[in-house]
Amino acid sequence: MIKVQKLRKEFGPKVAVNSLSFEVERGEVLGFLGPNGAGKSTSMRMITGFIPPTDGKVFVGGFDMIENPIPAKRLIGYLPENAPSYNDMTVHGFLSFCAEIRGLRGEDLKKAVHRVVEMCFLENVLYQSIDTLSKGYRHRTCLAQSIIHDPEVLILDEPTDGLDPNQKHEVRQLIKRMGEKKAIIFSTHILEEVEAVCSRAMIIDRGEIVANGTPDELKAKADRAGVVTLIVGGVAGSVVMEKLGQVAAARKSAVVKEESSRVVIRIYPKTQCINGELAHQISDLATREKWRVEELHTEEGRLDEFFRSITLPDTKSEETK
Amino acid sequence: MNQSSLGNITTLAKRELKGYFASPVAYVFIVIFLLLVGFFTFMLGNAPFFKLGQASLDSFFKWHPWVFLFLVPAIGMRVWSEERRLGTIELLLTMPITAWQAIVGKFLASWAFLLLTLICTFPIIMTVNYLGKPDNGVIFGAYVGSFLMAGSYLAISCMTSAITRNQVISFILSCVICFLLILCGYPPVTEFLTTLGVSQSLIETIASLSFMTHFDAFQKGILDFRDLVFFFSVIGFSLFTTGVILRSHRAG
Ligand SMILES: Nc1ncnc2c1ncn2[C@@H]1O[C@H](COP(=O)(O)OP(=O)(O)O)[C@@H](O)[C@H]1O
Ligand SMILES: [Mg+2]
């Protein structure tokens, strides 16, 4: 549904997005991850046709966004960053206007407004002026606007920004549900969100894709992924360490903590070790040695760790600009 | 222009016009306009309405270029700067409409609002008709001229409001541009230029760019095609430039 080819955007001398290429099909939820200023919003603005790219192409549903923007824009629902809306209108007035500009009239319009009001829990504020709403409601009003025409493509720029935990949860569920039938791109810097919602994630840093894969694949790339933690009682740390030297799948091990009654050891896998092989071997060893194992588990690897390892923090990337 | 672009323009204009009446701004504007025009018409000038003793609205229309000079930019200054300030321009221009439809729709809504303001001056027509037998054809012509002039000011204000997010700067810019376009055909100024020895043909060329020159003809009840062309050219040019400015902002 969405095809992006070598997309590039320069602001003066500064390259905000550099050679971005990817595709998103129906039924996929692509998460855009990246530190502030990475170029997420700029990319989305180009995909939705708000700003023209310096170079590269965007196709939505087969329509070229630059050559043939109107049919391409018809297919898209867009929630811009900070969820703007016309402050002087009521929620109902605003949604009706958006439906009308999307070509809905009469009964269809009423039904569409009713549907999104229900989906985004706006019943209570329907006839309230938008500038009197709390941030959460304003955000959901703009989200409602983006799905009013039941679009095939949804572009959501930080859709859960500024919501409370319950609202965040609701919006994530909504995105996940809609993701079954639509092609969705959403940006966030909350990593748990990616795990909860995305079928695929892309990490962007300084305008370039630095990693791309399912959340599980990305997690597996974290430094700590596959590391086994072992806690045994009644044995000295040095004894355990010595025996661990015989484990084939282990690269190295280290004592994290030694108490009188128990010892905590971390064992790092050799790179080719997968599927809990390391844990199996350690478990066999512990059985042979009759250790009193209190805990044995393999670290899954964490997305935030991986994220930190491949992106520069804000301040640093500002310096290199 | 096909059906759907007309539909889009109407939808946009309707929203914009509703926006005016959603806040007290519209009513305040109309009241201030009526008060100012009334004050100038009845109190000021060397031939105020009552003393003139004739059933004509010369002293009424003659103040329009000056009253509009401040009031129309006050309406126009928010047209695009507000969209940019709120960020709604990003919504607007990612909807399945063209930038032209948005520009024209928003302009027409504000122009319709100015038309409404002009219509609110109807008691003065009733008054002169009650007092005597004015030439209603001339009055109608002058209204058309006033409406077109307001549209030209408005188009210029839309253009300046596209330049900046700051409404005050937008207001001042459009006042200055409109003021210059009044001055270059204002008799005291053209006379002054003559005393400076500027060639007559140059003065006429400059004066032909002025609102005053073209508004005068309407005030006299003369509907000249060239005057219509002038006002519509100003509107067309300003709206076109608005489009160029908006596009250049987005291009970064
Ligand atoms: N209109 C603009 N003019 C100049 N620079 C811009 C503009 N918009 C964005 N940028 C720059 O481009 C970079 C990417 O910004 P953005 O896409 O907003 O990042 P993100 O959404 O990932 O936080 C930033 O460094 C930002 O300063
Ligand atoms: Mg952003």
Side-chain angles (χ1 to χ4, degrees):
Chain A
M1 282 308 288
I2 309 170
K3 199 154 119 194
V4 172
Q5 291 174 340
K6 297 216 165 109
L7 206 57
R8 180 183 174 86
K9 182 72 194 179
E10 296 166 5
F11 290 110
K14 185 173 170 203
V15 181
V17 174
N18 189 10
S19 197
L20 198 68
S21 302
F22 62 86
E23 288 183 30
V24 186
E25 290 308 324
R26 205 189 298 266
E28 269 191 297
V29 181
L30 174 67
F32 259 25
L33 272 169
N36 284 324
K40 304 181 293 293
S41 300
T42 306
S43 307
M44 291 182 151
R45 289 186 179 130
M46 288 191 280
I47 296 168
T48 53
F50 178 59
I51 57 176
T54 309
D55 201 12
K57 288 211 165 292
V58 174
F59 296 94
V60 177
F63 298 106
D64 187 326
M65 183 50 88
I66 293 133
E67 308 282 325
N68 203 359
I70 303 295
K73 285 176 178 176
R74 259 190 210 116
L75 298 175
I76 302 181
Y78 179 36
L79 171 70
E81 197 170 20
N82 303 324
S85 51
Y86 291 106
N87 279 345
D88 52 2
M89 300 179 93
T90 64
V91 172
H92 185 266
F94 176 65
L95 293 177
S96 302
F97 163 69
C98 294
E100 200 175 325
I101 209 88
R102 296 285 185 180
L104 297 165
R105 296 286 188 279
E107 269 310 300
D108 292 344
L109 185 148
K110 273 190 203 142
K111 267 191 214 141
V113 171
H114 185 73
R115 184 176 58 85
V116 296
V117 162
E118 253 183 7
M119 281 172 97
C120 300
F121 310 99
L122 294 167
E123 290 95 342
N124 295 334
V125 296
L126 203 48
Y127 295 101
Q128 214 168 310
S129 171
I130 293 176
D131 55 9
T132 64
L133 298 180
S134 67
K135 188 161 183 200
Y137 272 116
R138 251 182 288 162
H139 215 93
R140 278 182 287 166
T141 304
C142 196
L143 179 66
Q145 161 281 132
S146 71
I147 53 178
I148 197 146
H149 52 306
D150 198 15
E152 293 180 56
V153 172
L154 253 184
I155 315 278
L156 308 170
D157 201 348
E158 301 192 8
T160 59
D161 179 49
L163 300 183
D164 70 33
N166 288 333
Q167 295 168 337
K168 276 193 167 84
H169 180 74
E170 281 160 15
V171 168
R172 278 176 208 155
Q173 293 307 310
L174 185 64
I175 295 174
K176 202 165 178 177
R177 234 178 18 239
M178 291 189 300
E180 289 160 16
K181 282 171 289 171
K182 302 180 194 299
I184 302 185
I185 302 181
F186 85 97
S187 75
T188 179
H189 40 239
I190 305 172
L191 293 144
E192 58 189 81
E193 203 147 81
V194 176
E195 298 194 56
V197 186
C198 297
S199 55
R200 195 147 60 85
M202 233 164 63
I203 302 183
I204 301 176
D205 189 26
R206 282 160 296 153
E208 305 196 26
I209 301 175
V210 289
N212 184 359
T214 65
D216 285 341
E217 284 167 4
L218 295 183
K219 277 193 294 189
K221 289 186 187 162
D223 281 346
R224 293 265 292 277
V227 172
V228 172
T229 305
L230 170 71
I231 304 179
V232 284
V235 208
S238 53
V239 177
V240 181
M241 285 293 283
E242 195 196 315
K243 295 285 178 192
L244 281 172
Q246 306 162 5
V247 174
R251 178 160 52 89
K252 60 166 187 160
S253 16
V255 177
V256 181
K257 200 160 76 174
E258 178 144 24
E259 291 162 5
S260 55
S261 61
R262 61 217 279 267
V263 53
V264 182
I265 295 176
R266 197 166 280 155
I267 304 107
Y268 295 84
K270 292 199 169 133
T271 40
Q272 70 273 25
C273 159
I274 45 161
N275 289 338
E277 181 58 32
L278 180 58
H280 286 151
Q281 295 185 2
I282 294 170
S283 157
D284 290 348
L285 174 74
T287 316
R288 276 202 308 275
E289 299 292 328
K290 300 203 170 52
W291 287 338
R292 199 155 47 79
V293 174
E294 289 177 13
E295 192 179 319
L296 175 69
H297 81 265
T298 309
E299 301 256 358
E300 249 207 323
R302 286 174 37 189
L303 209 48
D304 59 346
E305 217 178 284
F306 178 57
F307 181 82
R308 270 201 303 275
S309 70
I310 61 166
T311 60
L312 291 175
D314 269 11
T315 45
K316 249 194 211 157
S317 63
E318 285 295 335
E319 276 164 18
T320 54
K321 271 167 196 170
Chain B
M1 196 177 286
N2 60 33
Q3 201 65 42
S4 86
S5 64
L6 206 61
N8 288 344
I9 291 173
T10 318
T11 305
L12 288 163
K14 238 175 29 191
R15 193 210 73 76
E16 193 81 6
L17 201 54
K18 265 191 220 155
Y20 282 116
F21 292 98
S23 70
V25 172
Y27 306 100
V28 170
F29 178 86
I30 292 177
V31 169
I32 289 180
F33 176 80
L34 295 179
L35 285 177
L36 276 181
V37 169
F39 175 75
F40 284 131
T41 306
F42 296 116
M43 305 297 175
L44 282 187
N46 39 22
F49 187 71
F50 290 124
K51 290 203 195 120
L52 217 53
Q54 64 190 57
S56 122
L57 285 178
D58 287 354
S59 56
F60 166 66
F61 285 111
K62 139 173 132 184
W63 295 106
H64 283 201
W66 302 101
V67 174
F68 281 150
L69 177 58
F70 294 101
L71 289 187
V72 175
I75 288 294
M77 66 182 182
R78 48 176 291 289
V79 170
W80 286 103
S81 49
E82 184 79 351
E83 293 271 350
R84 292 185 56 210
R85 198 178 59 81
L86 290 175
T88 44
I89 188 167
E90 197 165 343
L91 280 183
L92 194 64
L93 297 182
T94 51
M95 289 185 168
I97 58 168
T98 64
W100 301 119
Q101 289 163 5
I103 290 166
V104 171
K106 283 168 89 66
F107 169 76
L108 287 182
S110 305
W111 205 13
F113 175 68
L114 292 174
L115 177 63
L116 192 77
T117 309
L118 273 178
I119 290 172
C120 287
T121 61
F122 72 92
I124 203 159
I125 309 175
M126 290 170 43
T127 310
V128 284
N129 271 293
Y130 174 75
L131 292 177
K133 285 216 173 321
D135 185 340
N136 281 320
V138 172
I139 292 178
F140 179 74
Y143 264 112
V144 171
S146 182
F147 177 57
L148 287 173
M149 190 175 52
S152 305
Y153 282 27
L154 180 66
I156 289 171
S157 308
C158 286
M159 178 178 74
T160 62
S161 84
I163 294 173
T164 166
R165 253 170 250 257
N166 186 324
Q167 302 198 353
V168 178
I169 295 177
S170 153
F171 174 81
I172 293 171
L173 262 180
S174 55
C175 284
V176 168
I177 296 175
C178 293
F179 187 54
L180 289 177
L181 284 174
I182 290 179
L183 277 193
C184 64
Y186 192 50
V189 174
T190 50
E191 279 154 28
F192 176 68
L193 287 177
T194 316
T195 61
L196 283 183
V198 178
S199 81
Q200 201 56 41
S201 62
L202 184 61
I203 292 176
E204 267 168 32
T205 312
I206 296 174
S208 71
L209 290 174
S210 167
F211 291 133
M212 281 312 216
T213 317
H214 299 276
F215 182 56
D216 266 351
F218 281 102
Q219 256 185 300
K220 295 189 187 102
I222 307 163
L223 275 180
D224 190 328
F225 182 66
R226 281 170 302 180
D227 297 324
L228 287 174
V229 169
F230 170 79
F231 285 120
F232 281 112
S233 307
V234 172
I235 292 171
F237 173 81
S238 303
L239 295 187
F240 175 78
T241 312
T242 307
V244 173
I245 294 168
L246 289 178
R247 199 164 49 221
S248 76
H249 279 311
R250 288 188 288 144

